[in-house]
Amino acid sequence: PAVSVGNVGQLATDLVISTLGMTKVGYFYTDCLVPMVGNNPYATAEDNSMELSINAEVYSLPSKKLVVLQIRSPFIKNKYRPFCQTLLSWVKSSKCARVVLLSSSHAYQRDDEQLLGTPLRYLLTPDLEKAVGSLMQELNWKEMEKVAAYPGINDTEKVLHIPGGGITKLLFTESCSKGIQMAVLLKFCSEGDNIPDAFALVNYLNEWLQLIKSESNNSTDTSSQWKIPSSWRLLFGSGLPPALF
């Protein structure tokens, strides 16, 4: 996930790890993220609830050739670029075939074109475009639009703009120049209860990668089949203490 508006990518990644029962295989050690430690967010019983989790952990599912990096804390100021370099060099040294970045962007900063249709968008690096570009057309997915660099002054010069997307744009442009096959899947959203946004984004991912099979007739809606992790009970804190009253 990109640490972005509403933490949508992180919540969607939670659903993937929890539903597929992925095994934690290690940590992504970096000084670019705010330090953090907590209990096991995917605890299923009392005996594994005491396991510790930190700010960046790696989960694996060999049967689907899938590795997931979950990031749980924000970036330290000015550490975006070194993190991107470290991450992409790890991707290359681990010989990852493809990278999928789950992200989000501020809904209120969309232009007129982006207000139309679905709030979900995708981006593909040139190397991945050759491999799966036609499939995206079949799925009727909308590519993230470029917007005018200088609105009202020069509308012909278009740039990629992902407000609220954190490291999304930097990771994507670096992957383009390094020849890494990367897809960005993102949703326009606002801060608040972002659980519905996470379900929308993970269903979008599932349309392409078929991580879980749909049991309903509607192949795009698998919302009821994603397993919500135990840690989500505390998304909005632990409630008001009765002693207040």
Side-chain angles (χ1 to χ4, degrees):
V3 182
S4 51
V5 56
N7 306 103
V8 177
Q10 293 156 291
L11 292 170
T13 302
D14 263 354
L15 289 170
V16 171
I17 295 167
S18 181
T19 305
L20 298 178
M22 297 184 76
T23 308
K24 180 159 65 176
V25 292
Y27 306 101
F28 191 79
Y29 183 75
T30 173
D31 63 353
C32 302
L33 293 163
V34 173
M36 180 231 103
V37 66
N39 281 29
N40 178 8
Y42 312 116
T44 51
E46 204 166 314
D47 58 340
N48 68 358
S49 65
M50 297 305 193
E51 292 170 12
L52 293 181
S53 63
I54 63 165
N55 54 9
E57 297 185 320
V58 181
Y59 295 80
S60 166
L61 187 65
S63 63
K64 288 192 182 289
K65 295 183 179 176
L66 183 69
V67 169
V68 172
L69 168 64
Q70 176 62 302
I71 300 171
R72 297 196 177 93
S73 69
F75 288 90
I76 291 168
K77 195 178 179 185
N78 300 328
K79 291 278 192 175
Y80 279 78
R81 198 166 287 278
F83 179 82
C84 288
Q85 301 296 347
T86 308
L87 178 61
L88 294 179
S89 65
W90 176 63
V91 163
K92 284 210 152 185
S93 65
S94 304
K95 296 184 169 56
C96 294
R98 291 174 184 170
V99 182
V100 182
L101 183 67
L102 301 180
S103 184
S104 50
S105 183
H106 284 301
Y108 72 87
Q109 286 193 263
R110 287 174 292 178
D111 67 5
D112 291 351
E113 194 181 355
Q114 291 170 338
L115 286 165
L116 300 171
T118 175
L120 295 155
R121 293 290 187 278
Y122 78 93
L123 283 165
L124 300 176
T125 59
D127 288 74
L128 188 55
E129 176 79 51
K130 293 172 196 162
V132 300
S134 58
L135 175 62
M136 302 310 186
Q137 305 297 324
E138 287 172 32
L139 290 170
N140 285 325
W141 280 13
K142 283 186 84 167
E143 192 170 0
M144 182 69 172
E145 300 88 349
K146 289 189 173 181
V147 297
Y150 308 103
I153 301 166
N154 178 4
D155 290 334
T156 54
E157 190 183 337
K158 302 271 188 175
V159 293
L160 184 61
H161 186 49
I162 308 174
I167 60 169
T168 307
K169 183 178 174 181
L170 180 60
L171 261 180
F172 180 72
T173 51
E174 288 288 314
S175 296
C176 288
S177 62
K178 291 181 191 300
I180 291 170
Q181 292 196 16
M182 176 182 278
V184 175
L185 307 189
L186 67 84
K187 186 178 189 295
F188 293 117
C189 68
S190 304
E191 291 276 4
D193 180 357
N194 295 100
I195 291 174
D197 299 309
F199 275 112
L201 187 61
V202 81
N203 281 331
Y204 190 53
L205 171 74
N206 198 59
E207 269 184 68
W208 171 29
L209 295 184
Q210 298 290 301
L211 297 174
I212 62 172
K213 292 284 183 279
S214 173
E215 290 170 2
S216 66
N217 294 330
N218 181 354
S219 61
T220 60
D221 186 28
T222 50
S223 299
S224 60
Q225 291 164 251
W226 297 106
K227 184 184 172 189
I228 293 174
S230 53
S231 53
W232 280 25
R233 285 177 298 141
L234 304 172
L235 272 182
F236 302 103
S238 51
L240 295 171
L244 275 176
F245 310 101

